[in-house]
Amino acid sequence: MSQPQPSLHVGREQYHLAWDRSIEPIATVGSGSVVEIDALDASCGQITAASTVADIATLDFSRVDQVNGPIAVDGAEPGDTLEIELLDFQPADWGWTASIPGFGLLAEDFSEPALRITKLGAHSAEFLPGVRIPLAPFCGEVGVAPPTEGARSTIPPDVFGGNMDTRHLTAGTKLYLPVFAPGGRFSLGDGHAAQGDGEVCGTAIETPMRVQVRLTVRKDLHVSAPEFLTLGPLAAGTNIGPYYATDGVGPDLMTAARDSVRRMIEYLGREHGLGAIDAYLLCSVTCDLKISEIVDAPNWIVTAYCPLSIFG
Amino acid sequence: MSQPQPSLHVGREQYHLAWDRSIEPIATVGSGSVVEIDALDASCGQITAASTVADIATLDFSRVDQVNGPIAVDGAEPGDTLEIELLDFQPADWGWTASIPGFGLLAEDFSEPALRITKLGAHSAEFLPGVRIPLAPFCGEVGVAPPTEGARSTIPPDVFGGNMDTRHLTAGTKLYLPVFAPGGRFSLGDGHAAQGDGEVCGTAIETPMRVQVRLTVRKDLHVSAPEFLTLGPLAAGTNIGPYYATDGVGPDLMTAARDSVRRMIEYLGREHGLGAIDAYLLCSVTCDLKISEIVDAPNWIVTAYCPLSIFG
């Protein structure tokens, strides 16, 4: 499929480090315009294909999860919806996955830093020896200006989008975000070559990404938080064979999620010979967290699903 | 595929109403045996194809979620794992879905009882006019004797299984449960013709179910909670086209889950003309709750996914 000609190109250096409605747009485009964004990885270029785990210790967190933009869309007014048609994602030929001390679902279990650099092929990547992950590229950060004044960290997502880290926001999906500021003020970043539902270690396969999106003002639609329409079936690359699944059961969903991932790490060790840290990173880039039941009080179940097709 | 000849048949009346390791087995079978269980629906026959919403008000909760069994498996000892190969599920030709006051993820929003009786076809059911749900039958209750003495309600699941209400425990899946009592003491019930991840209204398409399982003692495997291996891809009946998805975003996973379902109900109303209660029941039988991200503190995202193929 040939891509439409973009009416705006946003360069790698055109980024900001906070969600803040006072940041002036770098450009204004008409509704329906296609925009191309060339984004550095979530470390803002601090981690490269040559990095080692030592670079995790010196990572400057004030410079992570930058987002490129903001781009105003002509005619967008508070109360409207911005439709973001995700047209195309082109990752770089490498990516990184890290466990960063103090960050991630199992931060208590993994106190040492870890870094894995992965070479990305056209359609898949060998994440660990004999473990091949199909690429399903998207951007973790997709958002608009927040509803209230002030600078907000780009780390937590919110009703205006931001760091949603939602793996099904792949090419072909239409994302709907509520407009809170005139022009909407759209920004994007945090390229992911592959990720599971949850992003449990806190990072995906992080990569620089070239993106095309079509930005359309929807006066007829009013959403209060992110909603989206996928192009087709979910997880087409991984949902092709059996899954192994592990449960966390109990009265707290967060604890249940942790337990489910701990059990998946145990499974990946016992059945596939993976060390705990490798298994943890693998969970983040390919295992999916589902809420199996949330009504049988007082115990809920969160289940981690690993697609066994990755083992070839 | 022809089913193996069962070595034991368990009748509808051979049930118990608590998870309790002191309940004596109704029979003992050899490891590797196939057992056939004929189970009433989760209301233990109180709701029938002729029921009306008035029957929800008089439902005797002390008689719900009965489980058929227990069946001892020769040689199963504490520390072993019981492998339950789910061979076959045959639902009845009808099922029911209810919103029961005080029960369900959105109990605060839906205080009035509701009941929907659905005629089940061989492969699908018209749940609402023009809304066709593919059947993917399984049992909500699958468990073994608990690790400690005393009678426990069959409503909450636990590490020994029980009311897991896990939609991917369909035919072909192998479920692994930890053995806590000699013989394991396996029971099963709560037939579901179709359900989404979460079972958000508290009921699926509830139906009487005839089930065949193969029970095998695994001395070589040690699990601490339910784990399972699916036969193939997940949600083969529904993951065949686009999904619409709605987010809940915030610092509490339970609140985020509620918000995601509220937004899905809003979407189903605005785009598909469904009344709120119909939309809520539909979410329970076909929408899936995923944890999109659980690491970008302090806000997590739970996303409700509705398969649009159900709208024909």
Side-chain angles (χ1 to χ4, degrees):
Chain A
M1 191 175 77
S2 66
Q3 294 299 330
Q5 192 62 27
S7 55
L8 175 70
H9 178 87
V10 178
R12 290 182 161 201
E13 72 289 354
Q14 294 178 288
Y15 64 77
H16 52 106
L17 283 159
W19 290 107
D20 185 340
R21 57 188 279 130
S22 74
I23 297 174
E24 288 301 317
I26 58 171
T28 298
V29 299
S31 178
S33 295
V34 172
V35 174
E36 182 174 78
I37 301 170
D38 190 17
L40 281 167
D41 71 289
S43 79
C44 207
Q46 295 181 79
I47 295 176
T48 70
S51 288
T52 69
V53 69
D55 295 308
I56 297 296
T58 58
L59 201 63
D60 177 356
F61 264 85
S62 72
R63 288 172 57 208
V64 307
D65 271 344
Q66 82 290 353
V67 288
N68 291 63
I71 302 158
V73 185
D74 201 33
E77 295 293 337
D80 297 342
T81 290
L82 186 63
E83 176 184 297
I84 301 120
E85 186 178 357
L86 303 162
L87 296 170
D88 189 52
F89 294 94
Q90 295 294 337
D93 62 359
W94 69 280
W96 62 272
T97 307
S99 181
I100 299 167
F103 186 61
L105 182 64
L106 299 184
E108 287 178 25
D109 303 10
F110 294 94
S111 55
E112 294 298 313
L115 177 69
R116 176 163 285 279
I117 304 291
T118 301
K119 186 173 185 321
L120 305 181
H123 302 292
S124 68
E126 192 173 28
F127 185 73
L128 293 164
V131 180
R132 187 156 283 278
I133 309 287
L135 303 191
F138 69 99
C139 278
E141 294 265 6
V142 193
V144 295
T148 54
E149 300 292 338
R152 299 162 179 238
S153 163
T154 56
I155 300 293
D158 212 314
V159 291
F160 57 84
N163 198 17
M164 294 191 285
D165 286 327
T166 298
R167 67 165 290 196
H168 301 297
L169 295 178
T170 45
T173 295
K174 290 180 181 175
L175 172 66
Y176 306 102
L177 295 179
V179 173
F180 294 110
R185 304 193 171 194
F186 170 83
S187 304
L188 165 155
D190 189 22
H192 290 174
Q195 185 205 296
D197 286 310
E199 200 194 22
V200 294
C201 88
T203 55
I205 301 182
E206 309 286 329
T207 182
M209 190 83 80
R210 185 174 292 238
V211 184
Q212 288 196 0
V213 298
R214 187 191 309 275
L215 302 176
T216 304
V217 179
R218 292 283 301 265
K219 298 280 181 190
D220 60 323
L221 182 62
H222 309 285
V223 299
S224 55
E227 302 187 3
F228 53 97
L229 172 66
T230 73
L231 180 66
L234 303 180
T238 42
N239 193 26
I240 57 172
Y243 282 74
Y244 198 83
T246 53
D247 279 349
V249 189
D252 177 68
L253 287 165
M254 179 61 76
T255 304
R258 289 196 176 108
D259 287 348
S260 74
V261 176
R262 286 182 177 127
R263 291 192 173 106
M264 182 57 75
I265 290 169
E266 200 274 328
Y267 161 78
L268 291 168
R270 109 187 158 230
E271 294 291 331
H272 299 279
L274 299 187
I277 183 64
D278 284 348
Y280 183 39
L281 301 186
L282 181 63
C283 284
S284 197
V285 304
T286 201
C287 293
D288 294 320
L289 293 187
K290 302 180 196 295
I291 298 178
S292 291
E293 72 81 11
I294 193 166
V295 292
D296 299 322
N299 288 346
W300 328 124
I301 298 183
V302 176
T303 308
Y305 285 81
C306 181
L308 298 186
S309 54
I310 64 171
F311 295 106
Chain B
M1 190 177 75
S2 68
Q3 293 300 327
Q5 191 63 28
S7 56
L8 175 70
H9 177 86
V10 178
R12 291 184 160 199
E13 72 290 351
Q14 293 178 288
Y15 64 78
H16 52 106
L17 283 158
W19 291 107
D20 185 339
R21 57 189 278 130
S22 74
I23 298 173
E24 287 300 318
I26 59 171
T28 298
V29 298
S31 178
S33 295
V34 173
V35 174
E36 182 174 78
I37 300 170
D38 189 17
L40 281 167
D41 72 288
S43 79
C44 206
Q46 295 181 81
I47 295 176
T48 70
S51 288
T52 69
V53 69
D55 296 308
I56 298 297
T58 59
L59 202 62
D60 177 357
F61 264 85
S62 72
R63 289 172 57 210
V64 307
D65 270 343
Q66 81 289 350
V67 287
N68 292 64
I71 302 159
V73 185
D74 202 32
E77 295 293 338
D80 297 343
T81 291
L82 186 63
E83 175 184 297
I84 301 121
E85 187 178 358
L86 303 162
L87 295 170
D88 189 53
F89 294 95
Q90 295 293 336
D93 62 358
W94 70 281
W96 61 272
T97 307
S99 180
I100 299 167
F103 187 60
L105 182 63
L106 300 184
E108 287 177 25
D109 304 9
F110 295 94
S111 55
E112 294 298 311
L115 177 68
R116 175 163 286 278
I117 303 292
T118 302
K119 186 174 187 318
L120 305 180
H123 303 291
S124 68
E126 191 174 28
F127 185 72
L128 293 164
V131 181
R132 186 156 285 278
I133 308 286
L135 303 191
F138 69 99
C139 278
E141 295 265 6
V142 193
V144 295
T148 54
E149 300 292 337
R152 299 163 180 237
S153 163
T154 57
I155 300 293
D158 212 314
V159 292
F160 57 84
N163 199 17
M164 292 190 286
D165 287 327
T166 298
R167 67 164 291 198
H168 301 296
L169 294 176
T170 45
T173 295
K174 290 180 181 176
L175 171 66
Y176 306 102
L177 295 178
V179 173
F180 295 109
R185 303 194 171 191
F186 170 82
S187 304
L188 165 155
D190 188 21
H192 291 174
Q195 184 205 296
D197 286 309
E199 200 194 24
V200 293
C201 89
T203 56
I205 302 182
E206 308 286 330
T207 181
M209 190 83 82
R210 185 175 292 238
V211 183
Q212 288 197 0
V213 298
R214 187 192 308 275
L215 302 175
T216 304
V217 179
R218 293 282 300 266
K219 298 280 182 190
D220 59 323
L221 182 63
H222 309 286
V223 299
S224 55
E227 301 187 3
F228 54 97
L229 172 66
T230 73
L231 180 65
L234 303 180
T238 42
N239 193 27
I240 58 173
Y243 282 74
Y244 198 82
T246 53
D247 279 350
V249 189
D252 178 67
L253 287 165
M254 179 61 76
T255 304
R258 288 196 176 107
D259 286 348
S260 75
V261 175
R262 285 181 178 128
R263 291 193 172 106
M264 183 57 75
I265 289 169
E266 199 274 328
Y267 160 79
L268 291 167
R270 107 189 160 228
E271 294 291 331
H272 298 280
L274 299 186
I277 183 64
D278 284 348
Y280 183 39
L281 300 186
L282 181 63
C283 285
S284 197
V285 305
T286 201
C287 293
D288 294 321
L289 293 187
K290 302 181 196 295
I291 297 178
S292 292
E293 72 83 9
I294 193 167
V295 292
D296 299 321
N299 289 346
W300 329 123
I301 298 183
V302 176
T303 308
Y305 285 81
C306 181
L308 299 186
S309 54
I310 64 171
F311 295 107

